Structure formats: C-alpha cells, structure tokens
Short mmCIF file of all heavy atoms in Angstrom, two decimals:
data_model
loop_
_atom_site.label_atom_id
_atom_site.label_comp_id
_atom_site.label_asym_id
_atom_site.label_seq_id
_atom_site.Cartn_x
_atom_site.Cartn_y
_atom_site.Cartn_z
N MET Q 27 0.83 -1.17 -0.01
CA MET Q 27 -0.06 0.03 0.04
C MET Q 27 0.82 1.23 0.00
O MET Q 27 1.85 1.36 0.77
CB MET Q 27 -0.90 0.01 1.21
CG MET Q 27 -1.79 1.19 1.26
SD MET Q 27 -2.92 1.20 2.74
CE MET Q 27 -4.17 0.04 2.12
N THR Q 28 0.53 2.14 -0.86
CA THR Q 28 1.41 3.37 -1.03
C THR Q 28 1.05 4.33 0.19
O THR Q 28 -0.05 4.29 0.69
CB THR Q 28 1.15 4.11 -2.34
OG1 THR Q 28 -0.27 4.48 -2.42
CG2 THR Q 28 1.43 3.25 -3.53
N PRO Q 29 1.94 5.22 0.46
CA PRO Q 29 1.72 6.20 1.49
C PRO Q 29 0.46 7.07 1.24
O PRO Q 29 -0.32 7.32 2.18
CB PRO Q 29 2.92 7.15 1.56
CG PRO Q 29 3.94 6.22 0.93
CD PRO Q 29 3.30 5.33 -0.05
N ALA Q 30 0.20 7.39 0.04
CA ALA Q 30 -1.03 8.19 -0.31
C ALA Q 30 -2.25 7.47 -0.09
O ALA Q 30 -3.22 8.06 0.55
CB ALA Q 30 -0.93 8.63 -1.82
N ARG Q 31 -2.33 6.22 -0.42
CA ARG Q 31 -3.58 5.41 -0.16
C ARG Q 31 -3.88 5.13 1.27
O ARG Q 31 -4.94 5.22 1.71
CB ARG Q 31 -3.44 4.13 -0.94
CG ARG Q 31 -3.39 4.33 -2.42
CD ARG Q 31 -3.37 2.98 -3.16
NE ARG Q 31 -4.81 2.75 -3.52
CZ ARG Q 31 -5.33 1.58 -3.88
NH1 ARG Q 31 -4.57 0.48 -3.85
NH2 ARG Q 31 -6.60 1.51 -4.20
N ARG Q 32 -2.77 4.93 1.99
CA ARG Q 32 -2.80 4.72 3.49
C ARG Q 32 -3.36 6.04 4.18
O ARG Q 32 -4.25 6.01 5.02
CB ARG Q 32 -1.51 4.39 4.11
CG ARG Q 32 -1.61 4.06 5.59
CD ARG Q 32 -0.24 3.62 6.21
NE ARG Q 32 0.37 2.52 5.54
CZ ARG Q 32 1.56 2.55 4.97
NH1 ARG Q 32 2.35 3.66 5.12
NH2 ARG Q 32 2.06 1.48 4.34
N LEU Q 33 -2.82 7.17 3.76
CA LEU Q 33 -3.24 8.48 4.39
C LEU Q 33 -4.77 8.67 4.11
O LEU Q 33 -5.51 8.98 4.99
CB LEU Q 33 -2.41 9.59 3.84
CG LEU Q 33 -2.69 10.96 4.31
CD1 LEU Q 33 -2.44 11.04 5.81
CD2 LEU Q 33 -1.91 11.96 3.51
N LEU Q 34 -5.11 8.51 2.82
CA LEU Q 34 -6.55 8.78 2.42
C LEU Q 34 -7.51 7.75 3.20
O LEU Q 34 -8.54 8.18 3.50
CB LEU Q 34 -6.67 8.70 0.97
CG LEU Q 34 -6.05 9.88 0.22
CD1 LEU Q 34 -6.17 9.74 -1.30
CD2 LEU Q 34 -6.69 11.21 0.72
N PHE Q 35 -7.04 6.56 3.31
CA PHE Q 35 -7.83 5.58 4.10
C PHE Q 35 -8.15 6.07 5.54
O PHE Q 35 -9.34 6.01 5.93
CB PHE Q 35 -7.15 4.18 4.09
CG PHE Q 35 -7.71 3.27 5.00
CD1 PHE Q 35 -8.86 2.54 4.60
CD2 PHE Q 35 -7.29 2.95 6.23
CE1 PHE Q 35 -9.52 1.61 5.45
CE2 PHE Q 35 -7.81 2.09 7.13
CZ PHE Q 35 -8.99 1.45 6.73
N TRP Q 36 -7.05 6.45 6.13
CA TRP Q 36 -7.34 6.88 7.46
C TRP Q 36 -8.15 8.21 7.67
O TRP Q 36 -8.90 8.41 8.57
CB TRP Q 36 -5.85 6.98 8.28
CG TRP Q 36 -5.46 5.65 8.65
CD1 TRP Q 36 -4.34 5.06 8.11
CD2 TRP Q 36 -5.99 4.65 9.49
NE1 TRP Q 36 -4.19 3.83 8.52
CE2 TRP Q 36 -5.15 3.51 9.46
CE3 TRP Q 36 -7.11 4.67 10.35
CZ2 TRP Q 36 -5.40 2.43 10.17
CZ3 TRP Q 36 -7.37 3.63 11.11
CH2 TRP Q 36 -6.60 2.47 11.03
N LEU Q 37 -7.95 9.07 6.65
CA LEU Q 37 -8.82 10.29 6.64
C LEU Q 37 -10.20 9.96 6.48
O LEU Q 37 -11.09 10.59 7.09
CB LEU Q 37 -8.24 11.28 5.64
CG LEU Q 37 -7.01 11.98 6.00
CD1 LEU Q 37 -6.44 12.76 4.90
CD2 LEU Q 37 -7.05 12.88 7.23
N ARG Q 38 -10.56 8.98 5.55
CA ARG Q 38 -11.87 8.58 5.35
C ARG Q 38 -12.53 7.96 6.67
O ARG Q 38 -13.66 8.25 6.93
CB ARG Q 38 -11.95 7.66 4.22
CG ARG Q 38 -11.80 8.32 2.87
CD ARG Q 38 -11.96 7.27 1.75
NE ARG Q 38 -11.52 7.93 0.50
CZ ARG Q 38 -10.75 7.25 -0.38
NH1 ARG Q 38 -10.34 6.06 -0.23
NH2 ARG Q 38 -10.45 7.85 -1.53
N ILE Q 39 -11.72 7.16 7.27
CA ILE Q 39 -12.24 6.51 8.49
C ILE Q 39 -12.58 7.55 9.48
O ILE Q 39 -13.58 7.48 10.20
CB ILE Q 39 -11.22 5.52 9.04
CG1 ILE Q 39 -10.99 4.33 8.08
CG2 ILE Q 39 -11.53 5.02 10.39
CD1 ILE Q 39 -12.25 3.46 7.97
N SER Q 40 -11.73 8.55 9.60
CA SER Q 40 -12.03 9.66 10.61
C SER Q 40 -13.31 10.37 10.24
O SER Q 40 -14.13 10.64 11.16
CB SER Q 40 -10.82 10.64 10.56
OG SER Q 40 -11.07 11.76 11.40
N PHE Q 41 -13.65 10.64 9.06
CA PHE Q 41 -14.85 11.27 8.63
C PHE Q 41 -16.07 10.41 8.93
O PHE Q 41 -17.11 10.91 9.34
CB PHE Q 41 -14.84 11.78 7.28
CG PHE Q 41 -13.94 13.17 7.05
CD1 PHE Q 41 -12.86 13.06 6.28
CD2 PHE Q 41 -14.41 14.30 7.66
CE1 PHE Q 41 -12.18 14.25 6.15
CE2 PHE Q 41 -13.77 15.38 7.55
CZ PHE Q 41 -12.54 15.38 6.74
N VAL Q 42 -15.88 9.11 8.71
CA VAL Q 42 -17.07 8.21 9.04
C VAL Q 42 -17.26 8.17 10.53
O VAL Q 42 -18.46 8.29 10.94
CB VAL Q 42 -16.67 6.76 8.54
CG1 VAL Q 42 -17.62 5.80 9.05
CG2 VAL Q 42 -16.67 6.78 6.99
N GLY Q 43 -16.22 8.25 11.29
CA GLY Q 43 -16.42 8.29 12.74
C GLY Q 43 -17.08 9.59 13.24
O GLY Q 43 -17.98 9.61 14.08
N ASP Q 44 -16.69 10.65 12.57
CA ASP Q 44 -17.29 11.97 12.83
C ASP Q 44 -18.85 11.92 12.51
O ASP Q 44 -19.77 12.48 13.29
CB ASP Q 44 -16.64 13.13 12.08
CG ASP Q 44 -15.22 13.43 12.49
OD1 ASP Q 44 -15.00 13.06 13.76
OD2 ASP Q 44 -14.42 14.05 11.81
N ALA Q 45 -19.22 11.31 11.47
CA ALA Q 45 -20.58 11.18 11.03
C ALA Q 45 -21.41 10.42 12.12
O ALA Q 45 -22.53 10.78 12.46
CB ALA Q 45 -20.69 10.54 9.61
N VAL Q 46 -20.80 9.35 12.57
CA VAL Q 46 -21.46 8.46 13.60
C VAL Q 46 -21.58 9.29 14.92
O VAL Q 46 -22.75 9.32 15.51
CB VAL Q 46 -20.65 7.13 13.81
CG1 VAL Q 46 -21.19 6.42 15.08
CG2 VAL Q 46 -20.72 6.27 12.63
N LEU Q 47 -20.59 10.03 15.32
CA LEU Q 47 -20.67 10.82 16.52
C LEU Q 47 -21.72 11.98 16.35
O LEU Q 47 -22.50 12.22 17.30
CB LEU Q 47 -19.36 11.44 16.86
CG LEU Q 47 -18.28 10.53 17.40
CD1 LEU Q 47 -16.97 11.26 17.63
CD2 LEU Q 47 -18.77 10.02 18.72
N ALA Q 48 -21.85 12.52 15.16
CA ALA Q 48 -22.76 13.60 14.92
C ALA Q 48 -24.21 12.96 15.01
O ALA Q 48 -25.08 13.70 15.56
CB ALA Q 48 -22.55 14.28 13.63
N ALA Q 49 -24.46 11.88 14.52
CA ALA Q 49 -25.71 11.22 14.57
C ALA Q 49 -26.22 10.87 16.00
O ALA Q 49 -27.28 11.13 16.46
CB ALA Q 49 -25.76 9.89 13.75
N ILE Q 50 -25.12 10.43 16.78
CA ILE Q 50 -25.43 10.11 18.17
C ILE Q 50 -25.77 11.44 18.93
O ILE Q 50 -26.73 11.49 19.69
CB ILE Q 50 -24.23 9.45 18.90
CG1 ILE Q 50 -24.13 7.98 18.28
CG2 ILE Q 50 -24.41 9.40 20.32
CD1 ILE Q 50 -22.86 7.24 18.55
N GLY Q 51 -24.97 12.46 18.67
CA GLY Q 51 -25.25 13.80 19.24
C GLY Q 51 -26.65 14.34 18.86
O GLY Q 51 -27.28 14.85 19.75
N GLY Q 52 -26.94 14.10 17.65
CA GLY Q 52 -28.32 14.59 17.20
C GLY Q 52 -29.35 13.92 17.86
O GLY Q 52 -30.42 14.46 18.26
N LEU Q 53 -29.22 12.58 18.02
CA LEU Q 53 -30.26 11.82 18.73
C LEU Q 53 -30.35 12.19 20.30
O LEU Q 53 -31.37 12.26 20.81
CB LEU Q 53 -29.93 10.29 18.75
CG LEU Q 53 -30.10 9.66 17.35
CD1 LEU Q 53 -29.62 8.19 17.32
CD2 LEU Q 53 -31.59 9.70 16.94
N LEU Q 54 -29.22 12.53 20.83
CA LEU Q 54 -29.20 12.93 22.28
C LEU Q 54 -29.87 14.39 22.36
O LEU Q 54 -30.70 14.56 23.39
CB LEU Q 54 -27.75 12.96 22.77
CG LEU Q 54 -27.17 11.68 23.08
CD1 LEU Q 54 -25.77 11.85 23.41
CD2 LEU Q 54 -27.84 10.99 24.22
N VAL Q 55 -29.69 15.25 21.47
CA VAL Q 55 -30.22 16.57 21.57
C VAL Q 55 -31.79 16.45 21.31
O VAL Q 55 -32.55 17.01 21.97
CB VAL Q 55 -29.69 17.57 20.40
CG1 VAL Q 55 -30.53 18.73 20.23
CG2 VAL Q 55 -28.23 17.92 20.75
N ALA Q 56 -32.19 15.47 20.35
CA ALA Q 56 -33.64 15.23 20.18
C ALA Q 56 -34.31 14.67 21.44
O ALA Q 56 -35.54 14.99 21.63
CB ALA Q 56 -33.79 14.27 19.08
N GLN Q 57 -33.56 14.00 22.23
CA GLN Q 57 -34.15 13.46 23.51
C GLN Q 57 -34.08 14.50 24.68
O GLN Q 57 -34.41 14.13 25.75
CB GLN Q 57 -33.48 12.22 23.88
CG GLN Q 57 -33.71 11.08 22.93
CD GLN Q 57 -33.02 9.85 23.24
OE1 GLN Q 57 -32.22 9.77 24.13
NE2 GLN Q 57 -33.25 8.70 22.59
N GLY Q 58 -33.48 15.61 24.39
CA GLY Q 58 -33.47 16.70 25.42
C GLY Q 58 -32.17 16.53 26.29
O GLY Q 58 -32.19 17.21 27.35
N GLU Q 59 -31.23 15.80 25.95
CA GLU Q 59 -29.98 15.66 26.69
C GLU Q 59 -29.01 16.72 26.38
O GLU Q 59 -28.70 16.87 25.26
CB GLU Q 59 -29.39 14.25 26.46
CG GLU Q 59 -30.20 13.06 26.81
CD GLU Q 59 -30.34 12.76 28.24
OE1 GLU Q 59 -29.45 13.21 29.00
OE2 GLU Q 59 -31.28 12.27 28.63
N ALA Q 60 -28.57 17.34 27.42
CA ALA Q 60 -27.62 18.51 27.17
C ALA Q 60 -26.30 17.96 26.70
O ALA Q 60 -25.50 18.73 25.99
CB ALA Q 60 -27.38 19.25 28.52
N VAL Q 61 -25.92 16.77 27.07
CA VAL Q 61 -24.61 16.24 26.59
C VAL Q 61 -24.55 16.16 25.09
O VAL Q 61 -23.47 16.12 24.44
CB VAL Q 61 -24.30 14.96 27.39
CG1 VAL Q 61 -25.14 13.78 26.73
CG2 VAL Q 61 -22.91 14.58 27.22
N GLY Q 62 -25.70 16.07 24.43
CA GLY Q 62 -25.69 15.98 23.00
C GLY Q 62 -25.15 17.25 22.27
O GLY Q 62 -24.45 17.09 21.26
N ILE Q 63 -25.28 18.42 22.92
CA ILE Q 63 -24.82 19.59 22.41
C ILE Q 63 -23.25 19.57 22.51
O ILE Q 63 -22.57 19.96 21.52
CB ILE Q 63 -25.42 20.86 23.08
CG1 ILE Q 63 -26.92 20.95 22.68
CG2 ILE Q 63 -24.71 22.17 22.73
CD1 ILE Q 63 -27.63 21.96 23.45
N ALA Q 64 -22.73 19.08 23.64
CA ALA Q 64 -21.33 19.02 23.77
C ALA Q 64 -20.75 18.02 22.79
O ALA Q 64 -19.71 18.34 22.30
CB ALA Q 64 -21.03 18.60 25.20
N LEU Q 65 -21.43 16.93 22.59
CA LEU Q 65 -20.96 15.97 21.59
C LEU Q 65 -20.92 16.58 20.13
O LEU Q 65 -19.99 16.34 19.36
CB LEU Q 65 -21.76 14.69 21.58
CG LEU Q 65 -21.34 13.57 20.79
CD1 LEU Q 65 -19.97 13.17 21.02
CD2 LEU Q 65 -22.28 12.33 20.87
N LEU Q 66 -21.94 17.36 19.77
CA LEU Q 66 -21.94 18.01 18.53
C LEU Q 66 -20.83 19.04 18.36
O LEU Q 66 -20.26 19.09 17.31
CB LEU Q 66 -23.34 18.59 18.28
CG LEU Q 66 -24.49 17.67 18.06
CD1 LEU Q 66 -25.77 18.45 17.95
CD2 LEU Q 66 -24.20 16.93 16.68
N VAL Q 67 -20.51 19.72 19.42
CA VAL Q 67 -19.50 20.74 19.39
C VAL Q 67 -18.14 19.97 19.27
O VAL Q 67 -17.24 20.37 18.40
CB VAL Q 67 -19.42 21.67 20.60
CG1 VAL Q 67 -18.08 22.39 20.76
CG2 VAL Q 67 -20.65 22.52 20.58
N PHE Q 68 -17.89 18.86 19.92
CA PHE Q 68 -16.74 18.06 19.88
C PHE Q 68 -16.55 17.58 18.41
O PHE Q 68 -15.51 17.50 17.86
CB PHE Q 68 -16.84 16.94 20.91
CG PHE Q 68 -15.73 15.95 20.72
CD1 PHE Q 68 -14.42 16.27 21.14
CD2 PHE Q 68 -15.96 14.65 20.22
CE1 PHE Q 68 -13.42 15.28 21.00
CE2 PHE Q 68 -14.96 13.74 20.09
CZ PHE Q 68 -13.66 14.06 20.48
N THR Q 69 -17.64 17.03 17.93
CA THR Q 69 -17.63 16.36 16.60
C THR Q 69 -17.31 17.51 15.51
O THR Q 69 -16.57 17.31 14.57
CB THR Q 69 -18.91 15.78 16.19
OG1 THR Q 69 -19.23 14.85 17.21
CG2 THR Q 69 -18.93 15.13 14.86
N ALA Q 70 -17.80 18.73 15.73
CA ALA Q 70 -17.49 19.79 14.76
C ALA Q 70 -16.01 20.15 14.91
O ALA Q 70 -15.41 20.39 13.77
CB ALA Q 70 -18.36 20.96 15.15
N LEU Q 71 -15.45 20.19 16.01
CA LEU Q 71 -13.96 20.46 16.12
C LEU Q 71 -13.13 19.42 15.44
O LEU Q 71 -12.21 19.67 14.79
CB LEU Q 71 -13.67 20.64 17.60
CG LEU Q 71 -14.07 21.85 18.31
CD1 LEU Q 71 -13.83 21.86 19.72
CD2 LEU Q 71 -13.56 23.10 17.71
N ARG Q 72 -13.50 18.13 15.75
CA ARG Q 72 -12.85 17.03 15.12
C ARG Q 72 -12.99 17.02 13.54
O ARG Q 72 -11.98 16.81 12.88
CB ARG Q 72 -13.52 15.67 15.53
CG ARG Q 72 -12.83 15.03 16.76
CD ARG Q 72 -13.33 13.65 17.06
NE ARG Q 72 -13.49 12.78 15.87
CZ ARG Q 72 -12.46 12.02 15.46
NH1 ARG Q 72 -11.36 12.01 16.10
NH2 ARG Q 72 -12.59 11.22 14.42
N ALA Q 73 -14.12 17.32 13.06
CA ALA Q 73 -14.34 17.42 11.60
C ALA Q 73 -13.48 18.70 11.10
O ALA Q 73 -12.93 18.44 10.00
CB ALA Q 73 -15.79 17.57 11.25
N GLY Q 74 -13.46 19.75 11.76
CA GLY Q 74 -12.63 20.89 11.25
C GLY Q 74 -11.07 20.50 11.21
O GLY Q 74 -10.48 20.81 10.26
N ILE Q 75 -10.70 19.80 12.23
CA ILE Q 75 -9.25 19.37 12.19
C ILE Q 75 -9.09 18.38 11.06
O ILE Q 75 -8.04 18.40 10.38
CB ILE Q 75 -8.92 18.69 13.60
CG1 ILE Q 75 -8.89 19.77 14.64
CG2 ILE Q 75 -7.56 18.00 13.51
CD1 ILE Q 75 -8.75 19.26 16.13
N GLY Q 76 -10.01 17.49 10.79
CA GLY Q 76 -9.99 16.62 9.68
C GLY Q 76 -9.93 17.25 8.36
O GLY Q 76 -9.12 16.82 7.48
N VAL Q 77 -10.55 18.34 8.16
CA VAL Q 77 -10.55 19.14 6.95
C VAL Q 77 -9.14 19.71 6.75
O VAL Q 77 -8.61 19.68 5.65
CB VAL Q 77 -11.60 20.20 6.92
CG1 VAL Q 77 -11.44 21.16 5.77
CG2 VAL Q 77 -13.07 19.55 6.79
N VAL Q 78 -8.62 20.27 7.81
CA VAL Q 78 -7.25 20.82 7.68
C VAL Q 78 -6.24 19.75 7.41
O VAL Q 78 -5.35 19.93 6.54
CB VAL Q 78 -6.84 21.47 9.05
CG1 VAL Q 78 -5.36 21.87 9.15
CG2 VAL Q 78 -7.66 22.70 9.29
N ALA Q 79 -6.46 18.52 8.01
CA ALA Q 79 -5.57 17.44 7.64
C ALA Q 79 -5.68 17.00 6.24
O ALA Q 79 -4.73 16.72 5.52
CB ALA Q 79 -5.79 16.26 8.57
N LEU Q 80 -6.94 17.02 5.69
CA LEU Q 80 -7.07 16.65 4.27
C LEU Q 80 -6.50 17.68 3.34
O LEU Q 80 -5.91 17.26 2.32
CB LEU Q 80 -8.64 16.58 4.01
CG LEU Q 80 -9.11 15.94 2.71
CD1 LEU Q 80 -8.56 14.55 2.53
CD2 LEU Q 80 -10.57 15.88 2.62
N VAL Q 81 -6.57 18.95 3.65
CA VAL Q 81 -5.94 19.99 2.81
C VAL Q 81 -4.53 19.84 2.83
O VAL Q 81 -3.87 19.85 1.71
CB VAL Q 81 -6.38 21.38 3.30
CG1 VAL Q 81 -5.53 22.45 2.65
CG2 VAL Q 81 -7.84 21.63 2.99
N LEU Q 82 -3.90 19.59 4.05
CA LEU Q 82 -2.50 19.45 4.10
C LEU Q 82 -2.03 18.07 3.33
O LEU Q 82 -1.05 18.11 2.69
CB LEU Q 82 -1.95 19.25 5.52
CG LEU Q 82 -2.20 20.57 6.38
CD1 LEU Q 82 -1.81 20.39 7.81
CD2 LEU Q 82 -1.28 21.72 5.75
N ALA Q 83 -2.81 17.07 3.39
CA ALA Q 83 -2.45 15.83 2.77
C ALA Q 83 -2.56 16.01 1.21
O ALA Q 83 -1.69 15.55 0.42
CB ALA Q 83 -3.55 14.74 3.09
N ALA Q 84 -3.61 16.78 0.77
CA ALA Q 84 -3.61 17.09 -0.74
C ALA Q 84 -2.44 17.83 -1.27
O ALA Q 84 -1.92 17.51 -2.30
CB ALA Q 84 -4.94 17.87 -0.95
N ARG Q 85 -1.98 18.83 -0.41
CA ARG Q 85 -0.83 19.62 -0.82
C ARG Q 85 0.39 18.69 -0.84
O ARG Q 85 1.36 18.76 -1.67
CB ARG Q 85 -0.51 20.72 0.13
CG ARG Q 85 -1.60 21.77 -0.04
CD ARG Q 85 -1.25 22.99 0.75
NE ARG Q 85 -2.26 24.05 0.57
CZ ARG Q 85 -2.34 25.15 1.27
NH1 ARG Q 85 -1.46 25.34 2.29
NH2 ARG Q 85 -3.23 25.98 1.06
N ALA Q 86 0.59 17.76 0.14
CA ALA Q 86 1.63 16.85 0.20
C ALA Q 86 1.65 15.89 -1.01
O ALA Q 86 2.68 15.55 -1.55
CB ALA Q 86 1.70 16.08 1.51
N LEU Q 87 0.42 15.42 -1.32
CA LEU Q 87 0.35 14.53 -2.53
C LEU Q 87 0.66 15.19 -3.81
O LEU Q 87 1.12 14.55 -4.82
CB LEU Q 87 -1.04 13.90 -2.55
CG LEU Q 87 -1.31 12.89 -1.30
CD1 LEU Q 87 -2.80 12.39 -1.41
CD2 LEU Q 87 -0.41 11.77 -1.38
N GLU Q 88 0.36 16.55 -3.96
CA GLU Q 88 0.64 17.25 -5.13
C GLU Q 88 2.20 17.26 -5.39
O GLU Q 88 2.66 17.18 -6.50
CB GLU Q 88 0.26 18.72 -5.01
CG GLU Q 88 -1.20 18.89 -5.17
CD GLU Q 88 -1.64 20.34 -5.10
OE1 GLU Q 88 -0.84 21.18 -4.73
OE2 GLU Q 88 -2.88 20.58 -5.15
N ARG Q 89 2.93 17.26 -4.33
CA ARG Q 89 4.39 17.33 -4.43
C ARG Q 89 4.96 15.88 -4.68
O ARG Q 89 6.09 15.77 -5.00
CB ARG Q 89 5.01 17.87 -3.13
CG ARG Q 89 4.75 19.30 -2.98
CD ARG Q 89 5.48 19.80 -1.77
NE ARG Q 89 4.74 21.05 -1.33
CZ ARG Q 89 4.38 21.32 -0.06
NH1 ARG Q 89 4.62 20.35 0.89
NH2 ARG Q 89 3.76 22.34 0.26
N HIS Q 90 4.12 14.90 -4.46
CA HIS Q 90 4.55 13.46 -4.67
C HIS Q 90 4.57 13.19 -6.05
O HIS Q 90 3.76 13.52 -6.90
CB HIS Q 90 3.50 12.56 -3.82
CG HIS Q 90 3.91 11.14 -3.97
ND1 HIS Q 90 4.94 10.62 -3.33
CD2 HIS Q 90 3.28 10.14 -4.60
CE1 HIS Q 90 4.92 9.30 -3.54
NE2 HIS Q 90 3.95 8.93 -4.28
N ASP Q 91 5.74 12.38 -6.42
CA ASP Q 91 5.81 11.97 -7.83
C ASP Q 91 4.77 10.96 -8.21
O ASP Q 91 4.70 9.93 -7.55
CB ASP Q 91 7.30 11.40 -8.03
CG ASP Q 91 7.52 10.92 -9.50
OD1 ASP Q 91 6.70 11.30 -10.36
OD2 ASP Q 91 8.54 10.23 -9.66
N PRO Q 92 3.93 11.22 -9.21
CA PRO Q 92 2.77 10.19 -9.35
C PRO Q 92 3.29 8.92 -9.94
O PRO Q 92 2.50 7.94 -9.88
CB PRO Q 92 1.94 10.99 -10.57
CG PRO Q 92 2.94 12.05 -11.11
CD PRO Q 92 3.86 12.38 -10.07
N HIS Q 93 4.54 8.85 -10.49
CA HIS Q 93 5.01 7.61 -10.93
C HIS Q 93 5.74 6.76 -9.85
O HIS Q 93 6.25 5.67 -10.12
CB HIS Q 93 6.01 7.79 -12.13
CG HIS Q 93 5.28 8.50 -13.24
ND1 HIS Q 93 4.29 7.92 -14.05
CD2 HIS Q 93 5.41 9.76 -13.76
CE1 HIS Q 93 3.76 8.83 -14.87
NE2 HIS Q 93 4.49 9.99 -14.72
N ASP Q 94 5.90 7.43 -8.77
CA ASP Q 94 6.52 6.68 -7.59
C ASP Q 94 5.47 5.91 -6.79
O ASP Q 94 4.74 6.51 -5.96
CB ASP Q 94 7.23 7.69 -6.76
CG ASP Q 94 7.98 7.10 -5.48
OD1 ASP Q 94 8.15 5.83 -5.64
OD2 ASP Q 94 8.50 7.76 -4.67
N ASP Q 95 5.28 4.62 -7.14
CA ASP Q 95 4.24 3.89 -6.50
C ASP Q 95 4.85 2.81 -5.52
O ASP Q 95 4.23 1.78 -5.18
CB ASP Q 95 3.48 3.12 -7.60
CG ASP Q 95 2.06 3.02 -7.25
OD1 ASP Q 95 1.59 3.63 -6.36
OD2 ASP Q 95 1.37 2.13 -7.84
N ARG Q 96 6.09 3.12 -5.00
CA ARG Q 96 6.66 2.25 -4.04
C ARG Q 96 6.03 2.28 -2.67
O ARG Q 96 5.60 3.37 -2.28
CB ARG Q 96 8.09 2.59 -3.95
CG ARG Q 96 8.96 2.41 -5.13
CD ARG Q 96 10.30 2.92 -4.83
NE ARG Q 96 10.23 4.39 -4.68
CZ ARG Q 96 11.19 5.13 -4.22
NH1 ARG Q 96 12.32 4.63 -3.81
NH2 ARG Q 96 11.07 6.41 -4.11
N PRO Q 97 5.89 1.15 -1.99
CA PRO Q 97 5.28 1.22 -0.64
C PRO Q 97 6.24 1.94 0.23
O PRO Q 97 7.43 1.99 0.01
CB PRO Q 97 5.04 -0.24 -0.26
CG PRO Q 97 5.90 -1.01 -1.19
CD PRO Q 97 6.14 -0.12 -2.43
N SER Q 98 5.69 2.62 1.28
CA SER Q 98 6.51 3.20 2.27
C SER Q 98 7.28 2.20 3.12
O SER Q 98 6.83 1.07 3.35
CB SER Q 98 5.66 4.11 3.16
OG SER Q 98 4.78 3.33 3.90
N VAL Q 99 8.39 2.60 3.63
CA VAL Q 99 9.21 1.73 4.48
C VAL Q 99 8.78 2.10 5.90
O VAL Q 99 8.81 3.20 6.35
CB VAL Q 99 10.67 1.97 4.21
CG1 VAL Q 99 11.50 1.20 5.17
CG2 VAL Q 99 11.08 1.77 2.79
N LEU Q 100 8.37 1.04 6.65
CA LEU Q 100 7.96 1.17 8.03
C LEU Q 100 9.18 0.81 8.96
O LEU Q 100 9.79 -0.17 8.70
CB LEU Q 100 6.84 0.32 8.38
CG LEU Q 100 5.57 0.56 7.66
CD1 LEU Q 100 4.43 -0.42 8.11
CD2 LEU Q 100 5.07 2.02 8.02
N GLY Q 101 9.47 1.63 9.83
CA GLY Q 101 10.59 1.34 10.82
C GLY Q 101 11.75 2.11 10.63
O GLY Q 101 12.46 2.88 10.56
#
C-alpha cells in the first residue's frame, strides 16, 4: 500500500467516525439531553481538524511523484 492510499484511508475512516458521533449527538439533542450539544461541538471540532488534515494531505500529495508507486518503508 502506498503512503498516499494509506493516508486517504485513515482520513476517510476519521470522517465516518465523525458522522457517527454527529448522529449520536443529534439523537441525544432530540431526546433533550444537554450532553448531545457538547458531543456535537466536539464532533464539529474533530471534523474541522480533519478538513485541515485533508488539505495538508492534498498539498503533500501534489508534491509526490505520481510515478513513484513504491510502498512506504515502516521502521
């Protein structure tokens, strides 16, 4: 697996997790639980950080040679 594919995989997983947390927060707010608002705020902050990470990753991938498909070296 190339570094670019690995990075995009983990960023996608993060956004799926944010969507799940937002859904839980929305359900809690609908039930009148105050903790739901805190969860929605937390999720918004996480998603914001994820967007910044995605922008930084896109810039890093632009600098990456498209023909270099070697797997990254771990360790």
Side-chain angles (χ1 to χ4, degrees):
M27 180 179 278
T28 64
R31 295 183 98 200
R32 183 180 304 126
L33 177 64
L34 290 176
F35 169 78
W36 286 111
L37 287 172
R38 285 183 190 137
I39 293 296
S40 175
F41 281 116
V42 169
D44 290 338
V46 170
L47 288 175
I50 293 170
L53 290 173
L54 289 171
V55 168
Q57 292 178 353
E59 298 287 335
V61 73
I63 294 172
L65 184 58
L66 288 174
V67 169
F68 172 74
T69 304
L71 290 173
R72 267 186 48 87
I75 291 170
V77 168
V78 170
L80 190 58
V81 168
L82 292 176
R85 288 184 181 174
L87 290 175
E88 284 176 0
R89 294 186 202 127
H90 181 69
D91 181 13
H93 302 292
D94 183 12
D95 213 16
R96 294 175 292 166
S98 64
V99 178
L100 298 176

